[in-house]
Amino acid sequence: MDEHISEFFGEVKEIIRVRGKTYGIPEENFARIASMWADYLGIPVEPFDVAIMMSMLKLARLSEGYHRDSIVDAVSYLTLADRFADDQ
């Protein structure tokens, strides 16, 4: 069990690292997304909100059946939400 947990969270850590290389520093990328969403919605949106809503998107996809990548992505977004919570 402990090995599975370590492997899972290692995968989460790697996803965040790889996506950071692809899309840029998470704080900057999520701030950019938040700004665009705020403009579109006409309400304030913070990087924390983006991370929570992206995790919700991944969880909604699970209603169609188990997809491990959706679970890993959801946890990755929640991990970033935790990081962004300090900035609020």
Side-chain angles (χ1 to χ4, degrees):
M1 175 87 135
D2 289 338
E3 185 176 320
H4 176 80
I5 292 169
S6 293
E7 181 181 309
F8 179 85
F9 283 105
E11 189 174 343
V12 167
K13 184 178 178 181
E14 181 65 8
I15 288 287
I16 292 171
R17 186 190 71 74
V18 168
R19 298 277 162 71
K21 283 188 162 198
T22 302
Y23 301 114
I25 298 167
E27 288 80 359
E28 294 173 6
N29 185 38
F30 281 65
R32 190 170 36 255
I33 294 166
S35 177
M36 293 176 75
W37 286 7
D39 288 345
Y40 181 80
L41 296 170
I43 60 171
V45 178
E46 299 296 327
F48 175 83
D49 301 313
V50 173
I52 293 297
M53 288 187 278
M54 292 299 291
S55 69
M56 292 168 70
L57 175 140
K58 294 297 183 170
L59 294 173
R61 288 182 176 173
L62 289 169
S63 68
E64 295 297 318
Y66 175 78
H67 300 281
R68 187 168 194 281
D69 63 308
S70 290
I71 291 174
V72 172
D73 285 347
V75 172
S76 298
Y77 286 125
L78 290 172
T79 300
L80 290 172
D82 183 64
R83 183 194 300 184
F84 300 151
D86 291 339
D87 296 336
Q88 291 202 2

